[in-house]
Amino acid sequence: MEELIVDRRVEDERSLIKTPSDVQADNQEHDSPTSTRQKRSVQHGSPCFVYTLAFFSALGGFLFGYDTGVVSGAMLLLKREMNLSSLWQELLVSITVGAAAISSLAGGYLNGLYGRRICILLASFIFSAGGIILSVAHNKEVLLCGRLTVGLGIGIASMTVPVYIAEVSPSELRGQLVTINTLFITGGQFVASVVDGAFSYLPHDGWRYMLGLSVVPAALQFLGFLFLPESPRWLLQKGDTQNARLVLSRIRGGVNVDEEYESIRSSIEEEKIDAGEGPVLWRILTFAPARRALIVGCGLQMFQQLSGINTVMYYSATILQMSGVQDDQMAIWLAAATAFTNFLFTLVGVWLVERVGRRKLTLGSILGTAASLMVLAAGFLLSAQASPPVTFHPNDPSLHNSTCITYGFCESCMLNPDCGFCYGKNGTAVVESSCMPVDTANTEAAAAGRCSNGTQESLGVFWAYNYCPTSYSWIVLLGLVLYLAFFAPGMGPMPWTVNSEIYPLWARSTGNACSAGVNWICNVLVSLTFLHVAQYLTYYGAFFLYSGLALLGFVFVVGCLPETKGLRLEEIESLFGRQLCSCGAGGSRSVLYTRVNGGNYRSDEDVTDDE
Ligand SMILES: O[C@H]1[C@H](O)[C@@H](O)[C@H](O)[C@@H](O)[C@H]1O
């Protein structure tokens, strides 16, 4: 037992500081009735109801994944049927993410005011409306309106669902259940890619089914939530003590919830002291523990997106084409395989999160992500160095003004979005290659010459847009698989999971709104800048850059992310009581404040006298 140090940290408030492991040990030793009760509640079937709640809420995650994933396949058909310019294509893709960024920020306010349940009902209603608008759209303006609507739904769902699941879950299942939401996101992306593949064979209106099908899970969620309860923590915060106790007992399978109820209630009472006056965001910024939590939450979301997940996913079809897949339909199905890999490894995260904890999982994941990005970059670098030269200059007068014919190598040709590489093969060697302008209506073919009908294997003519034929494609493919295997269990789900648990109740809606907003803003930034970054730095430069950013993220996580596994939501806030860059340090240096009757005690370990 180490010595007890008294330290006044927060006025009118006393805390006992312990390491998280001490607290977990204490929980086991001294709170054994609680743990037994929780375990008992697990056996008494409460998880059944909690799983039902998690399932219906995570449909929000499914819709997030489906609606962000389905658009790439739908766009292939839409651009032909509606004759969309590349500006309109970009608009239709990015308006959803932009709207999600705005509505996730607004979602914080709505959550605080109307509660989690109303927000989830609102999001599923908006999803249904968006799906209907998209499926009946008869022009691009209506499509834009539908994509905007869907984005509003995604933003609200993305910040509300993890909070709701975290608040209704018992602490020993919380990590796993919130991570299931990300499993549903990646599941939604996978289902979207399968639906894209299936309806891409329809000559007309295939996109209506692709975009409209989201109404089914949205309506299911809406109906489900008409019967599901509000978060007991939100009810208690609003002073609805009777309903809060009823809901808590219902969620815990009817067992005695006195202790859990009391602990939430007393923590809300004490939070009133922390919370101070003024708008919530201001109070977060001026109250050190909440401010630190916000920095950690936003930082994690930022590094998730800066690690380039959406670029890698989006670019996977091209990566696979580089590996020799020439057939477009085949590329669509292989992109579905990529989405499936992402889903599968997120499942590994669900399995690991309560076993190894959030911190170790995130650390291992981000380090592996950085290493895989280097493998990807090395593959691109070798391909660029071995880039085939342009050997054939067609004598077509219509090409004289084109910049494409000025390039000497495939690498520089393919980095210009207006050009593509047209070539023949002699065994595995590239022959008679030229850089040609791309058909603006259909990037799968050149605007003129041999490749104006795209790749025609039977004629020995190949068209490469966005990539170059290379024998190093296996390294790139290896990098892609490693990337997903490392990213999906940790960096994919942990930013959402950790954010759902690190804020005190008074700051939870706003904290999650801000961090989700950061996620969406960085998502837009990375996807909109990727092509420009690739043009300036080349592909390998871009992936080396993402790798460097992931390494920075690693340093951030080492310094700042404390372990929250097994702790009650009410206990987690105190992990942020110390200077930020030590709160993530090993168990012995992490501190936990336990409030005791208005006192502010602090100890390194093993303090059990909660009075
Ligand atoms: O956690 C999710 C998940 O990793 C998805 O695959 C990705 O598309 C999202 O941007 C991310 O927030």
Side-chain angles (χ1 to χ4, degrees):
M1 163 97 72
E2 290 181 34
E3 62 178 326
L4 190 76
I5 311 155
V6 179
D7 176 24
R8 283 199 86 77
R9 285 254 150 166
V10 184
E11 287 270 322
D12 302 330
E13 194 184 328
R14 292 182 162 198
S15 305
L16 290 175
I17 305 177
K18 291 177 256 177
T19 65
S21 47
D22 296 332
V23 170
Q24 276 160 32
D26 282 358
N27 280 348
Q28 276 156 18
E29 284 168 30
H30 306 285
D31 296 349
S32 53
T34 319
S35 342
T36 323
R37 199 168 302 151
Q38 281 174 345
K39 275 182 202 126
R40 214 182 317 132
S41 74
V42 170
Q43 285 156 11
H44 279 107
S46 90
C48 212
F49 191 47
V50 165
Y51 280 123
T52 311
L53 291 185
F55 170 81
F56 275 97
S57 339
L59 284 175
F62 180 88
L63 287 159
F64 160 172
Y66 186 88
D67 282 317
T68 48
V70 79
V71 69
S72 52
M75 203 56 76
L76 289 178
L77 306 182
L78 269 171
K79 65 181 179 194
R80 261 178 251 152
E81 264 179 60
M82 290 212 180
N83 210 359
L84 296 177
S85 65
S86 44
L87 177 72
W88 265 93
Q89 291 176 42
E90 258 183 25
L91 257 179
L92 286 170
V93 175
S94 3
I95 194 145
T96 306
V97 186
I102 294 168
S103 73
S104 60
L105 291 170
Y109 178 73
L110 297 176
N111 252 271
L113 206 61
Y114 301 112
R116 324 318 185 197
R117 181 173 165 268
I118 295 289
C119 283
I120 295 180
L121 278 169
L122 179 70
S124 47
F125 179 78
I126 296 177
F127 275 127
S128 312
I132 293 171
I133 298 176
L134 286 167
S135 58
V136 300
H138 53 274
N139 61 31
K140 51 186 190 248
E141 288 78 13
V142 179
L143 270 179
L144 193 68
C145 172
R147 292 287 297 161
L148 180 117
T149 311
V150 159
L152 295 177
I154 296 180
I156 298 178
S158 71
M159 63 111 345
T160 311
V161 170
V163 170
Y164 179 79
I165 301 182
E167 289 188 345
V168 295
S169 306
S171 49
E172 73 277 6
L173 286 180
R174 190 183 59 239
Q176 206 162 55
L177 292 176
V178 182
T179 307
I180 284 181
N181 183 49
T182 312
L183 185 72
F184 272 52
I185 298 178
T186 54
Q189 287 171 332
F190 168 59
V191 172
S193 58
V194 173
V195 169
D196 276 356
F199 287 105
S200 64
Y201 296 97
L202 279 189
H204 287 294
D205 289 348
W207 57 270
R208 290 191 194 276
Y209 299 101
M210 296 176 182
L211 298 172
L213 267 177
S214 64
V215 175
V216 178
L220 184 67
Q221 190 187 43
F222 187 84
L223 288 178
F225 260 86
L226 286 178
F227 303 99
L228 293 174
E230 178 51 88
S231 148
R233 284 179 162 86
W234 184 85
L235 286 171
L236 242 173
Q237 195 196 23
K238 291 290 163 192
D240 190 351
T241 47
Q242 227 177 354
N243 269 327
R245 189 188 279 273
L246 268 176
V247 169
L248 191 62
S249 138
R250 189 175 156 208
I251 298 175
R252 298 286 175 264
V255 295
N256 188 339
V257 288
D258 286 353
E259 197 193 327
E260 191 176 358
Y261 176 85
E262 265 316 304
S263 120
I264 303 174
R265 199 196 53 77
S266 62
S267 141
I268 290 175
E269 287 300 310
E270 285 160 5
E271 277 184 2
K272 286 186 186 146
I273 304 169
D274 296 345
E277 296 292 317
V280 184
L281 186 58
W282 172 251
R283 286 188 263 151
I284 294 180
L285 294 175
T286 49
F287 180 60
R291 184 174 63 238
R292 291 179 194 128
L294 185 70
I295 294 173
V296 171
C298 292
L300 280 177
Q301 292 287 21
M302 180 180 86
F303 283 115
Q304 179 198 68
Q305 291 302 317
L306 296 187
S307 312
I309 173 65
N310 291 306
T311 304
V312 173
M313 290 271 288
Y314 183 74
Y315 204 63
S316 67
T318 312
I319 291 176
L320 295 163
Q321 277 181 318
M322 280 175 72
S323 316
V325 183
Q326 299 288 349
D327 178 27
D328 278 343
Q329 293 290 351
M330 189 68 172
I332 289 183
W333 287 114
L334 285 174
T338 312
F340 184 70
T341 315
N342 193 18
F343 169 75
L344 206 65
F345 282 102
T346 313
L347 200 61
V348 175
V350 173
W351 185 74
L352 283 177
V353 64
E354 293 298 0
R355 286 177 174 78
V356 302
R358 295 41 161 168
R359 186 175 150 81
K360 279 194 195 135
L361 188 55
T362 312
L363 280 173
S365 165
I366 199 164
L367 201 60
T369 300
S372 333
L373 281 165
M374 278 191 202
V375 176
L376 261 176
F380 280 112
L381 176 65
L382 291 170
S383 306
Q385 281 175 347
S387 169
V390 171
T391 53
F392 176 66
H393 298 274
N395 211 356
D396 184 337
S398 69
L399 298 176
H400 283 166
N401 287 334
S402 164
T403 36
C404 301
I405 57 165
T406 59
Y407 297 118
F409 286 88
C410 176
E411 178 71 5
S412 38
C413 169
M414 70 101 174
L415 283 173
N416 184 337
D418 298 331
C419 313
F421 198 63
C422 181
Y423 63 99
K425 271 193 208 165
N426 184 0
T428 54
V430 171
V431 291
E432 294 198 327
S433 49
S434 45
C435 183
M436 300 290 288
V438 66
D439 181 347
T440 42
N442 170 24
T443 55
E444 283 148 34
R450 293 171 298 164
C451 286
S452 51
N453 286 325
T455 294
Q456 286 178 289
E457 262 187 282
S458 51
L459 300 179
V461 174
F462 297 89
W463 171 246
Y465 179 70
N466 245 344
Y467 69 95
C468 289
T470 167
S471 47
Y472 292 107
S473 56
W474 66 272
I475 304 181
V476 181
L477 193 60
L478 177 74
L480 174 71
V481 174
L482 285 178
Y483 179 92
L484 292 172
F486 279 109
F487 181 92
M491 276 313 280
M494 284 313 107
W496 299 108
T497 304
V498 169
N499 267 289
S500 72
E501 41 190 27
I502 54 178
Y503 306 100
L505 185 54
W506 60 267
R508 196 168 294 145
S509 314
T510 307
N512 274 276
C514 292
S515 61
V518 166
N519 180 294
W520 289 111
I521 290 166
C522 293
N523 186 333
V524 184
L525 276 181
V526 172
S527 30
L528 282 188
T529 54
F530 176 69
L531 281 181
H532 298 281
V533 173
Q535 254 180 312
Y536 284 109
L537 300 178
T538 74
Y539 283 117
Y540 61 84
F543 285 108
F544 275 128
L545 177 71
Y546 295 145
S547 173
L549 292 170
L551 281 177
L552 258 183
F554 175 77
V555 175
F556 175 79
V557 176
V558 169
C560 302
L561 180 65
E563 184 53 78
T564 49
K565 176 184 134 191
L567 300 177
R568 281 194 184 156
L569 285 179
E570 287 65 36
E571 294 166 332
I572 292 174
E573 171 201 352
S574 11
L575 294 174
F576 294 90
R578 262 177 69 151
Q579 278 288 314
L580 189 57
C581 284
S582 58
C583 69
S588 58
R589 287 181 59 212
S590 303
V591 287
L592 179 77
Y593 290 75
T594 307
R595 292 204 176 78
V596 278
N597 295 349
N600 183 27
Y601 295 103
R602 176 182 149 171
S603 131
D604 288 353
E605 62 148 5
D606 217 18
V607 182
T608 57
D609 42 339
D610 290 5
E611 56 173 5

